[in-house]
Amino acid sequence: GQVQIGDVLFEVNQSNVYCINPEQIGNLLLGVEGSQVELAFKRASTGSLHRVLLYRTSIAASPAAQAQGSTLSNGPYGTRGA
């Protein structure tokens, strides 16, 4: 995989997110299905930045979330060609 254990999320679309709260990061990750989001991880072993390009896609809620009446859409977790 491209992301390794110990890597730290450092940028979302070239904006530093190292010291912002997770809710704000989540807002940066969400977007229109099919659009791109670029993540940069600081590699623990070298200190270098490692960039990953993802394409946003809809995701289905887990059975547990469905049981609670939650739905998710336009999530940041789909990858295509990365």
Side-chain angles (χ1 to χ4, degrees):
Q2 295 181 344
V3 179
Q4 298 178 358
I5 294 172
D7 286 356
V8 175
L9 182 60
F10 197 74
E11 294 178 355
V12 175
N13 289 332
Q14 299 182 357
S15 295
N16 187 315
V17 296
Y18 184 71
C19 292
I20 68 172
N21 72 52
E23 184 176 327
Q24 290 173 305
I25 294 171
N27 289 335
L28 292 172
L29 294 173
L30 295 175
V32 176
E33 184 173 356
S35 64
Q36 298 178 355
V37 60
E38 182 184 58
L39 307 179
F41 293 89
K42 187 164 261 192
R43 181 93 350 128
S45 59
T46 64
S48 64
L49 286 182
H50 180 74
R51 298 186 184 279
V52 178
L53 183 63
L54 303 176
Y55 290 85
R56 294 176 175 103
T57 185
S58 294
I59 58 174
S62 69
Q66 289 175 351
Q68 295 175 2
S70 299
T71 59
L72 301 173
S73 62
N74 295 332
Y77 301 109
T79 61
R80 181 173 46 192

